[in-house]
Amino acid sequence: MATLARSVISQQAALEVVVLHTKISETLHALKTAAQLAQDLSGRIRLLVLEVVPYPLALDRPAVSLPYTQRRFRTLAENASIETIVDIHLVRDPQKVLDSVLEPHSIVVVGARRSWWRDRTGKRLARKGHQVVYAG
């Protein structure tokens, strides 16, 4: 009975490669890397966008309208060769939200040049048990 339950779960669960949006050009590199990983592993891509809303603005009223942001990232996702889901979160502090939006032991592709932010975020994600891949 346990074997049957495991096989049903494995059929329902699809491997997800998470691309953490940084800058557009870097995210494009990350999407290409993620597409190769997802294709090799028969998975899909989740483009995770943590859109920072500064404190003078209400959290539900970002400086750039949400429909515009959705269209912009949907266009990026449509160019991917693998099934890609766009997941946008309006946040104050992306580091705090990151923990709550990632599944345990996620594969996270970061398309950022070497920087303090990338190094700090990558090390923090690795400490939490995620696999971090750098692209670009």
Side-chain angles (χ1 to χ4, degrees):
M1 187 69 172
T3 306
L4 177 61
R6 269 189 242 134
S7 66
V8 170
I9 290 169
S10 65
Q11 288 174 357
Q12 292 174 350
L15 178 79
E16 185 174 77
V17 178
V18 178
V19 172
L20 181 58
H21 167 66
T22 51
K23 295 179 183 174
I24 293 294
S25 62
E26 295 167 346
T27 301
L28 287 171
H29 288 296
L31 281 169
K32 288 178 187 175
T33 301
Q36 291 171 340
L37 285 170
Q39 187 171 24
D40 292 344
L41 300 170
S42 300
R44 66 179 182 202
I45 298 171
R46 176 166 57 130
L47 176 55
L48 180 58
V49 181
L50 302 177
E51 192 71 26
V52 177
V53 180
Y55 277 104
L57 301 174
L59 193 54
D60 62 344
R61 302 270 184 188
V64 177
S65 75
L66 190 55
Y68 174 80
T69 302
Q70 290 169 331
R71 279 192 308 275
R72 187 171 112 200
F73 287 104
R74 195 173 326 123
T75 301
L76 279 178
E78 288 171 356
N79 292 329
S81 57
I82 300 291
E83 177 188 357
T84 303
I85 298 164
V86 178
D87 186 12
I88 300 172
H89 296 266
L90 301 176
V91 302
R92 299 281 188 206
D93 183 350
Q95 293 293 331
K96 289 181 182 176
V97 174
L98 198 51
D99 292 336
S100 65
V101 296
L102 290 176
E103 294 295 323
H105 308 290
S106 293
I107 299 171
V108 181
V109 181
V110 180
R113 296 179 194 266
R114 189 161 180 89
S115 68
W116 68 269
W117 183 89
R118 185 194 90 165
D119 292 343
R120 187 179 87 187
T121 301
K123 286 178 184 175
R124 187 169 174 273
L125 290 172
R127 275 195 313 271
K128 297 279 185 175
H130 303 293
Q131 300 296 313
V132 181
V133 177
Y134 297 106

